[in-house]
Amino acid sequence: MDLLCHVRDFVLAAAEGAGEAAKHGEGAAREAALGVQAFKRVGYLWLIPFFPMVGAIVNAVVGARLQKRFGKSVVTNLAIGAMAAAFVTAAVAFVDLVGQPEHERLLVNHLWNMFTAGDVQANLTFALDPLSMMMVLIITFIGALIHVYSVGYMAEDPDTWRFFAYLNLFVFSMLLLVMGDNFVLMFFGWEGVGLCSYLLIGFWYKDIDKAKAAVKAFVTNRIGDFGFVLGLFLLFWALGGQWEKRSVIPPHESRWALADPAHLYEARAEAGTTYVADPTLSPQTPPATYAEVEKLATPEGWRPGASIATRDGGKVRVGPTLSFRELRDQIAVESTGVKNRLTGLTFFGMPLLALVGILLFVGATAKSAQIPLYVWLPDAMAGPTPVSALIHAATMVTAGVYMVARLNFLFALSTTAMTVIACTGAATALFAASIGFVQNDIKKVLAYSTVSQLGFMFIGVGVGAYWAGTYHLLTHAFFKACLFLGSGSVILGCHHEQDMRKMGGLKKYMPLTEKTYLYACIAISGFPLANGFFSKDEILWKAFDAGNNLADPALGKVIWLVGWVTALGTAFYMWRSYYLTFTGEYRGGHGAHESGDAHGHHGGLPHESPRSMTWVLAALAVGCFLTIFLGLWGPAGVEPVLERWLEPVLAPSHALVAARGAHEGPLAEWLLMAASVAVAFGGWAAARALYKDAKSTVPATLAAKYPRLHRWVLDKYYVDEAYRKTVLAAIWAGAKACDLFDRVVVDGAVNAAAAVGRFVCDVDGAIDKYLVDGAVNFVADGALGFGRALRRVQTGRLEHYLYAAVAGALAVVLLTFLVQ
Amino acid sequence: MLPVLNNADSLAYFWPEMILTAGAMGVFLFDLAVAKSPRRILWLTVASLGVLAAAALATSHVAGLSPTPIGLFNGLLVLDPWAVFFKYLSWAVTALAILIAGPSLEVASERMGEYCALLLAVAVGMSLMASSTDMLMMVIGVELVSMVSYALAGFKKHDRKSSEAALKYVVYGGVASGMMLFGMSYLYGLLGTTNLVGTAARMNAQAAMLAQAGVAASVAGAGRVAMVVAVVLVLSGVGYKIASVPWHMWCPDVYEGAPTPFTAFLSVGPKAAGFALAVRILYGAMSVSGGADLATAVADVPWPQVVGVIAGLTMTVGNFAALNQTNLKRMLAYSSIAHAGYILMGVAAASETGSQSVALYLVVYLFMNLGAFLVVGIVGRLSGSESIFEYRGLSARAPFAAVAFAVFLFSLTGLPPLAGFVGKFHLFKALVDRGGSWQITLAIVGLLNSAVSLYYYARIVKAMFLDKPHTEERIAVPASYNLLLGALVGLVLVFGVYFDGLRQLAGSSVVLFGHS
């Protein structure tokens, strides 16, 4: 441990910048009132998403031709090159960010204003703060590794170009999601990753089940998006947003040339008015309440561009905004009064912030596979395994966690929202882990484990331990990517077999895969030898210590207990998968792929994967070890590197969360840690006893003894079936009702109208039988008929044209008097 | 007092037009010199583009001479950002029309010199239209554009349709000019001057005088009728240039008969110049600044409402008439009528942002409409036909052209993320920002029209991609056409996403001499 501490100090010093010693007692600075977020303008951040975008476009447009003419290596090298370039640029940005003073660590790259409508101002602006920097490094680093791995994994697929185009497109979207400085860009990315997930799950779209899994993922995510968008609307409304343009901007300021925020924030605000919320600017004066600010700002309410001067000389632009930085400033700077306004607002009797938080979280439950919208993720395993590793474990599914951490200043204001998040996370963690107990498909085990681990992350961000949740996101990205890629290696080695009952004994055939899988198992099951222990333990401790951050102080303890039991289960099912796969004798069907299989020359025996794959596994395993030091606690008073790194981002919520905590003593922390280690050992021992070398008969006996329970869990508690019977049935019923309505009422009405029309026409002697068509055809025919009539006017005779011109002019003269 | 230069001093600001006039003459002579050369088309194209490049340089030079708008030739012409913007636009569309004509078989090789020289002359006319503030000068500009256009429309001498087009164009144009001149004579009688600067004040004074006590009601009424008739007749001339209802009827016949490269030019160049003129007369001269950046109409002539009604009618007639067309050139003619209607929405907004959106849309329209006609030219080059029949299965016969055409058509419909959407968005936004009930109604009519237009645009896309071709023969596309198509598609795509610069450019050009 002493050695570890030394390494940790070294990492810490590196992160602090050259030679600067670790500062103690940062707490005091934190307690001081928060000011406006300072930032640095840079011009190169756009390059990071640009490279994968170019890779995606080139491969999508000419990839097929390139592949045909020059072979696959051109396509794959292009994609990998794009990732490498993105990673290098991200590293440059990291160095730049580290060079900034701690509380000014925000790089902003404004490109252009996409559109402005009413108060909605959407800018193409990228921003990197410590949190998004961490995400970008994870995405580009692990993304690059997985690209390399995919070369081997997809070697036999003819559509390599399509796969890599999708993969690059995904990375582009994911980078957009985390780098966007506003909700619009985040939502673009949010939808983009959803699309890529759909495309990649259904990559082998000729298999109907895979195509169905893709559709399921897409539709489930759309349900979540609906909640997310509602939350956004509500928040925007609460900040004073409206559609109509308010006529307060002086004429010369309304020029679109000013729509560049670089000018807009300052110039518009100055051209409008700068309002001093605190005229004396003295620390003794209590900050102005919202009501006073409003009175000062304008008679009708907030205006776009009105800004409030803060005590330290900064300026906060108040009013509706989509920018994270502006939102943070409004809420974090007390004297704007925005925080008071938001906490006081209700929406149909419900506290608005809780509602906003819960709606945004609904979006997160779909993207990050939480109850009740987790059902798509296990099915998403239909996609190629590198996709499962990159999208459905390391990056995309953590978008919800990232979103909550990004908006920590908002979520921390509502303990109701925090409670909902933490409880959902805990329930999901336990629920998914229990399904993982009995699954036989190795990827399904990992899928449920991912759902469960995401639950842990939500416990973390739910109880206000944003850094711990984020740290678990990072460690999970490494160990779960390693596990998934390991399982991919196993699947490839066993000739596309995913059933663990048909594996066994692979240690002999795939030594490197086995070692990395073993280490990743150590990480996820929570032995203090790998990164997973440190992040999970921190989350559990913070949950135990949650206190008044949750609706009931006792709730934290309950969540801790649930997490603790889940940890036991996690250790058990992960070790089960390890022992089933790698120990004992190979149970695979010999010669199962006797004809036409590319692996035919190996006979039926498993084989180790190519180096490009195993080395990636090794790199990830090393990552699992090295990331320990990001979360390792030091001597008293020194926080872990990552916590310190994220501190500027989390500062707005820090004091609030800390004040509500239960403040349990260090003894409790040590006891809990011991309990964590105990469950890791317990789970491991149980799995070893039951599954090592496939000798024990207990599992079979148990399954036989409780067949219904086993069946029930094996079939995932029949949630899919329940959804089919309830939600989908309701949707189908609604669709049928609409169909019926359409056929009976609408068509009936149309037909009735048509009948009446025909009757009238018959009576009249006028023949206009075209009315009998349906309503849509009627409109179309009407349009075409109108067109024909117009054509008839266009006789081709010049004199008619001239009559029309003169008569038209006359008509316009008359019209002039009409419109008056 | 607005700065106005005398004739001698003005010449220093008149370089672009002088260069173009000399260039047009020069190209005629150059034509004789290279008459025997097998590469005469290349030489002539290069020479004409050289003249245009020189004119563009001269434009940027004279634009830099005076930071503020300035009157030239004792007030006949002006040099303001609005004029400069449309000068650049004119040079660009002329250059593209010359580029398209080179490989086209419709412009015979021995007549290329004539074609280029005439186009350069039209360019001068368009520049005069965009920069005139005096009614006389306006007539000269319009006539210069029209006269040369008549000749170009009948360029295919032995083609019956081409001759018919030219004849109809001449007669129609003559009547339209006559109506405009008639209106101008009224206006001169009422206002006592042919110069449009300060028209708003004069019209207001006129109205005030008629409203005075002691003026008989019949006299006052007659005065008002005269004013309205004068304004409407002047607008007829402009409406004929931009092909808006009810002065649009020449358009399909002429577009169909004229050689395709010139049709492409006609659908953008003179239309743009017409809009420059419309904005200068209506927004520039006949309105005064109201609150904020919005202008209000003056003196009992409610032109924004009238233009609004014309806009709605124009887009409706254009789109619905296009539904049944099977000849692509005719269909695009009606489509260009519909687009005149859309752009008129920006004029009807009668605001700075409205004028800005007009300028912005014309740039976008230049790329997508010229591109669409270019594809028509490519297909027509092989088959000599513009029937939709020829477009069946085009994706197999000329894949790149088919994809490009689809991009242009969807952009014309106004679908994101293409440039056409950006243009339309700003037109609608200008109108909605204005906020009155008829403005909103017009915007809704515009939206419905966009939906209708999708039908006939998508019909072509369907034919190109889903129908079976009647022959498997590949269409050979000259490399220069492919390059041009690629560039235009690129611009349509780029401006669909990045349009901030374009928007700022359009915004900064809405500075009109004499508009307060």
Side-chain angles (χ1 to χ4, degrees):
Chain A
M1 274 322 253
D2 201 41
L3 176 74
L4 292 192
C5 281
H6 273 103
V7 179
R8 184 198 154 277
D9 284 347
F10 175 75
V11 176
L12 185 76
E16 293 263 320
E20 199 189 334
K23 277 183 247 157
H24 292 262
E26 267 298 308
R30 250 180 201 165
E31 303 308 323
L34 283 160
V36 180
Q37 174 73 51
F39 59 94
K40 177 186 173 190
R41 285 189 191 283
V42 291
Y44 61 87
L45 295 188
W46 61 276
L47 283 170
I48 301 175
F50 178 74
F51 289 121
M53 184 185 83
V54 170
I57 291 175
V58 172
N59 266 343
V61 176
V62 293
R65 255 184 260 176
L66 284 178
Q67 189 177 331
K68 213 168 169 186
R69 189 170 303 173
F70 304 108
K72 282 180 182 174
S73 57
V74 179
V75 169
T76 55
N77 285 343
L78 183 79
I80 294 170
M83 289 304 301
F87 176 67
V88 169
T89 322
V92 170
F94 177 70
V95 172
D96 200 351
L97 201 64
V98 168
Q100 293 294 108
E102 197 166 349
H103 281 272
E104 293 169 23
R105 282 191 184 147
L106 175 64
L107 304 178
V108 175
N109 182 5
H110 171 68
L111 295 180
W112 62 76
N113 170 258
M114 290 188 290
F115 58 85
T116 305
D119 292 336
V120 184
Q121 207 193 56
N123 294 319
L124 190 57
T125 305
F126 295 117
L128 277 184
D129 63 359
L131 177 62
S132 47
M133 189 72 244
M134 186 195 95
M135 293 296 290
V136 168
L137 287 175
I138 293 176
I139 294 161
T140 51
F141 179 69
I142 295 189
L145 285 182
I146 290 176
H147 273 67
V148 174
Y149 176 95
S150 305
V151 176
Y153 193 83
M154 302 300 284
E156 291 158 40
D157 200 282
D159 285 344
T160 311
W161 62 275
R162 192 160 58 90
F163 184 76
F164 279 91
Y166 289 167
L167 222 49
N168 265 355
L169 182 67
F170 165 76
V171 173
F172 164 71
S173 310
M174 191 68 207
L175 289 171
L176 215 58
L177 194 164
V178 296
M179 289 178 67
D181 106 309
N182 53 55
F183 280 110
V184 177
L185 272 194
M186 184 196 234
F187 193 66
F188 280 177
W190 192 271
E191 293 297 302
V193 291
L195 170 72
C196 295
S197 160
Y198 163 80
L199 291 173
L200 283 165
I201 295 169
F203 182 74
W204 292 306
Y205 54 86
K206 283 176 186 151
D207 181 337
I208 186 74
D209 285 336
K210 293 180 173 164
K212 273 185 182 167
V215 172
K216 185 171 174 184
F218 199 73
V219 172
T220 314
N221 269 296
R222 294 301 308 164
I223 296 173
D225 293 344
F226 184 63
F228 185 70
V229 169
L230 282 186
L232 273 191
F233 289 165
L234 207 56
L235 177 64
F236 196 73
W237 171 79
L239 290 168
Q242 24 183 299
W243 170 254
E244 291 149 45
K245 191 172 161 187
R246 278 162 286 199
S247 54
V248 291
I249 308 144
H252 61 283
E253 287 303 333
S254 69
R255 290 289 289 276
W256 289 350
L258 274 179
D260 171 17
H263 306 288
L264 194 112
Y265 295 159
E266 281 90 42
R268 235 193 184 184
E270 273 154 21
T273 328
T274 300
Y275 303 101
V276 180
D278 191 355
T280 59
L281 289 180
S282 117
Q284 277 77 38
T285 319
T289 63
Y290 168 69
E292 280 164 338
V293 173
E294 190 178 45
K295 200 172 72 208
L296 278 167
T298 153
E300 324 111 36
W302 279 338
R303 305 166 172 179
S307 52
I308 294 184
T310 59
R311 282 185 198 168
D312 54 359
K315 211 190 275 176
V316 182
R317 193 173 150 272
V318 291
T321 179
L322 292 170
S323 152
F324 296 130
R325 180 174 54 80
E326 288 183 1
L327 187 62
R328 176 225 174 260
D329 284 352
Q330 288 190 35
I331 293 178
V333 179
E334 292 262 348
S335 57
T336 57
V338 176
K339 195 198 264 181
N340 287 340
R341 172 184 156 91
L342 287 183
T343 43
L345 272 181
T346 56
F347 186 76
F348 289 109
M350 283 167 283
L352 182 115
L353 274 179
L355 207 58
V356 169
I358 290 169
L359 282 171
L360 291 177
F361 179 63
V362 167
T365 58
K367 192 102 320 186
S368 299
Q370 297 296 295
I371 291 174
L373 296 178
Y374 70 94
V375 288
W376 64 273
L377 186 60
D379 288 26
M381 296 302 128
T385 307
V387 171
S388 310
L390 178 62
I391 301 185
H392 304 123
T395 55
M396 183 188 87
V397 289
T398 59
V401 182
Y402 166 78
M403 189 262 294
V404 178
R406 154 78 49 245
L407 298 175
N408 63 78
F409 47 83
L410 195 69
F411 281 97
L413 291 182
S414 166
T415 51
T416 315
M418 289 175 79
T419 310
V420 169
I421 294 172
C423 289
T424 310
T428 310
L430 184 62
F431 182 76
S434 71
I435 300 179
F437 271 36
V438 293
Q439 295 300 313
N440 291 318
D441 182 327
I442 186 167
K443 280 183 80 180
K444 281 275 157 75
V445 173
L446 294 177
Y448 281 105
S449 133
T450 303
V451 175
S452 170
Q453 295 297 313
L454 287 165
F456 270 108
M457 294 178 212
F458 277 109
I459 296 177
V461 294
V463 299
Y466 299 103
W467 94 265
T470 316
Y471 181 44
H472 198 55
L473 187 165
L474 184 140
T475 58
H476 175 256
F478 278 93
F479 64 67
K480 189 50 70 62
C482 188
L483 286 169
F484 259 121
L485 295 184
S487 80
S489 178
V490 166
I491 291 166
L492 202 64
C494 295
H495 316 291
H496 301 285
E497 180 55 67
Q498 303 196 2
D499 192 334
M500 291 188 293
R501 287 171 298 190
K502 295 182 186 160
M503 296 175 180
L506 297 182
K507 205 183 212 173
K508 195 163 69 184
Y509 305 101
M510 315 178 75
L512 197 52
T513 304
E514 184 266 336
K515 285 194 187 73
T516 53
Y517 197 91
L518 176 71
Y519 188 64
C521 269
I522 290 174
I524 189 174
S525 54
F527 286 92
L529 301 168
N531 59 7
F533 169 78
F534 298 92
S535 53
K536 193 193 285 183
D537 192 58
E538 183 69 19
I539 288 176
L540 288 179
W541 159 243
K542 284 284 162 65
F544 190 78
D545 199 32
N548 286 319
N549 278 309
L550 302 177
D552 189 315
L555 216 47
K557 312 283 191 277
V558 175
I559 289 176
W560 173 82
L561 189 64
V562 171
W564 187 72
V565 171
T566 307
L568 177 68
T570 308
F572 176 76
Y573 69 72
M574 284 315 300
W575 286 109
R576 170 177 173 267
S577 81
Y578 170 79
Y579 284 120
L580 276 177
T581 310
F582 292 103
T583 63
E585 288 300 312
Y586 182 53
R587 299 180 291 273
H590 292 266
H593 296 267
E594 60 280 348
S595 60
D597 190 274
H599 295 299
H601 56 277
H602 281 294
L605 286 178
H607 59 85
E608 182 61 292
S609 300
R611 273 203 196 143
S612 68
M613 291 167 67
T614 50
W615 285 22
V616 168
L617 291 174
L620 286 169
V622 171
C624 288
F625 176 71
L626 290 181
T627 45
I628 291 176
F629 303 108
L630 294 177
L632 198 62
W633 63 93
V638 179
E639 310 137 320
V641 178
L642 191 73
E643 182 175 9
R644 194 182 163 80
W645 170 250
L646 291 174
E647 198 265 337
V649 183
L650 305 178
S653 62
H654 186 275
L656 194 60
V657 171
R660 288 193 298 230
H663 306 294
E664 303 282 352
L667 181 65
E669 191 173 357
W670 285 107
L671 281 176
L672 292 188
M673 203 183 294
S676 288
V677 178
V679 290
F681 273 100
W684 167 69
R688 189 173 185 281
L690 289 178
Y691 294 104
K692 179 149 195 291
D693 301 337
K695 279 185 199 140
S696 168
T697 51
V698 179
T701 323
L702 275 177
K705 199 168 174 191
Y706 304 105
R708 291 182 69 180
L709 178 69
H710 182 252
R711 195 76 237 160
W712 196 47
V713 182
L714 187 64
D715 288 340
K716 308 148 204 166
Y717 301 109
Y718 299 104
V719 171
D720 276 338
E721 285 72 12
Y723 278 4
R724 203 168 298 142
K725 288 253 165 64
T726 54
V727 180
L728 285 181
I731 293 173
W732 275 114
K736 277 197 184 128
C738 287
D739 180 52
L740 199 68
F741 181 81
D742 190 43
R743 273 185 292 135
V744 176
V745 182
V746 178
D747 287 5
V750 172
N751 289 336
V756 171
R758 188 157 52 179
F759 176 71
V760 171
C761 289
D762 283 348
V763 170
D764 243 19
I767 300 154
D768 197 351
K769 289 188 175 170
Y770 295 108
L771 273 175
V772 281
D773 275 83
V776 176
N777 280 341
F778 172 71
V779 172
D781 283 354
L784 287 170
F786 181 48
R788 268 192 293 276
L790 286 174
R791 225 172 126 186
R792 239 170 274 137
V793 176
Q794 190 87 18
T795 53
R797 295 182 69 106
L798 189 54
E799 58 269 35
H800 295 168
Y801 294 4
L802 297 178
Y803 293 149
V806 178
L810 201 64
V812 174
V813 170
L814 293 176
L815 176 73
T816 309
F817 291 94
L818 264 179
V819 297
Q820 198 105 76
Chain B
M1 194 59 205
L2 292 159
V4 176
L5 300 183
N6 64 26
N7 287 348
D9 292 342
S10 298
L11 285 177
Y13 297 86
F14 205 53
W15 277 113
E17 287 79 1
M18 290 196 287
I19 287 175
L20 277 174
T21 314
M25 309 285 183
V27 168
F28 269 126
L29 294 176
F30 185 65
D31 190 20
L32 296 176
V34 294
K36 294 270 157 48
S37 166
R39 321 194 68 180
R40 48 180 277 117
I41 289 191
L42 179 68
W43 287 120
L44 286 165
T45 308
V46 169
S48 313
L49 292 183
V51 172
L52 284 166
L57 282 178
T59 312
S60 87
H61 166 70
V62 298
L65 283 182
S66 164
T68 51
I70 185 168
L72 304 178
F73 299 105
N74 295 319
L76 287 181
L77 290 177
V78 290
L79 187 71
D80 54 15
W82 186 251
V84 169
F85 180 88
F86 279 93
K87 279 179 194 186
Y88 282 128
L89 197 67
S90 306
W91 314 155
V93 65
T94 312
L96 284 170
I98 287 170
L99 277 174
I100 295 178
S104 163
L105 304 178
E106 288 185 68
V107 178
S109 138
E110 66 271 18
R111 301 188 62 201
M112 184 67 186
E114 211 178 315
Y115 177 85
C116 292
L118 288 176
L119 270 188
L120 293 179
V122 185
V124 177
M126 293 194 298
S127 161
L128 294 181
M129 277 173 76
S131 45
S132 55
T133 45
D134 192 286
M135 289 191 281
L136 285 177
M137 203 60 221
M138 283 174 187
V139 174
I140 291 174
V142 169
E143 286 301 306
L144 181 52
V145 172
S146 298
M147 290 295 174
V148 185
S149 297
Y150 304 150
L152 283 166
F155 208 69
K156 294 192 281 183
K157 270 186 198 159
H158 302 292
D159 184 303
R160 276 194 59 181
K161 271 192 170 173
S162 185
S163 306
E164 181 192 333
L167 186 66
K168 281 182 176 169
Y169 201 12
V170 172
V171 178
Y172 198 101
V175 171
S177 297
M179 286 165 73
M180 183 162 83
L181 273 169
F182 187 61
M184 284 176 172
S185 69
Y186 264 38
L187 218 50
Y188 175 64
L190 289 164
L191 304 177
T193 172
T194 56
N195 200 307
L196 283 177
V197 173
T199 300
R202 291 198 199 94
M203 283 166 78
N204 275 332
Q206 176 86 10
M209 191 193 79
L210 290 174
Q212 267 173 1
V215 176
S218 60
V219 174
R224 201 178 149 227
V225 170
M227 181 68 86
V228 168
V229 167
V231 171
V232 168
L233 287 181
V234 171
L235 284 190
S236 319
V238 177
Y240 144 73
K241 273 280 131 212
I242 64 177
S244 77
V245 169
W247 305 289
H248 68 286
M249 299 183 86
W250 59 274
C251 181
D253 294 5
V254 173
Y255 278 24
E256 191 187 354
T260 310
F262 181 65
T263 309
F265 174 83
L266 202 56
S267 70
V268 181
K271 201 186 276 276
F275 273 106
L277 197 55
V279 169
R280 196 176 283 287
I281 296 175
L282 294 174
Y283 172 72
M286 292 194 189
S287 69
V288 288
S289 287
D293 68 331
L294 306 171
T296 50
V298 290
D300 298 344
V301 185
W303 62 262
Q305 286 94 317
V306 173
V307 172
V309 173
I310 292 178
L313 281 175
T314 305
M315 59 179 97
T316 310
V317 168
N319 279 324
F320 279 87
L323 289 179
N324 289 305
Q325 300 300 331
T326 51
N327 180 306
L328 263 278
K329 264 165 105 178
R330 274 189 95 80
M331 197 210 79
L332 286 178
Y334 281 113
S335 140
S336 88
I337 294 172
H339 280 269
Y342 297 136
I343 307 174
L344 276 176
M345 292 196 302
V347 181
S351 65
E352 189 177 331
T353 49
S355 309
Q356 175 188 24
S357 65
V358 169
L360 190 150
Y361 197 88
L362 283 167
V363 175
V364 169
Y365 180 68
L366 161 71
F367 300 132
M368 58 192 185
N369 213 41
L370 270 185
F373 272 109
L374 181 54
V375 180
V376 172
I378 288 172
V379 175
R381 207 168 160 267
L382 181 79
S383 59
S385 157
E386 286 109 28
S387 163
I388 193 165
F389 183 67
E390 287 296 327
Y391 291 79
R392 287 198 191 158
L394 192 68
S395 58
R397 301 178 64 201
F400 182 56
V403 171
F405 202 19
V407 169
F408 297 135
L409 291 173
F410 283 130
S411 180
L412 284 166
T413 318
L415 296 181
L418 302 170
F421 168 76
V422 173
K424 257 189 194 161
F425 174 77
H426 286 109
L427 287 170
F428 282 107
K429 184 174 182 292
L431 202 59
V432 172
D433 276 354
R434 201 73 161 92
S437 59
W438 69 262
Q439 281 96 340
I440 303 290
T441 315
L442 179 57
I444 291 169
V445 169
L447 280 177
L448 291 176
N449 262 290
S450 296
V452 171
S453 73
L454 182 62
Y455 175 82
Y456 61 85
Y457 290 133
R459 201 161 58 120
I460 306 173
V461 177
K462 173 186 163 271
M464 289 194 301
F465 286 90
L466 300 180
D467 292 355
K468 285 243 174 336
H470 65 86
T471 160
E472 294 298 324
E473 187 193 357
R474 297 267 302 192
I475 297 180
V477 183
S480 62
Y481 272 4
N482 267 337
L483 269 178
L484 206 54
L485 272 184
L488 291 170
V489 166
L491 285 166
V492 168
L493 289 174
V494 166
F495 284 136
V497 186
Y498 174 73
F499 44 86
D500 211 31
L502 188 60
R503 185 165 65 183
Q504 288 181 23
L505 177 73
S508 58
S509 58
V510 188
V511 178
L512 284 87
F513 182 80
H515 175 70
S516 51

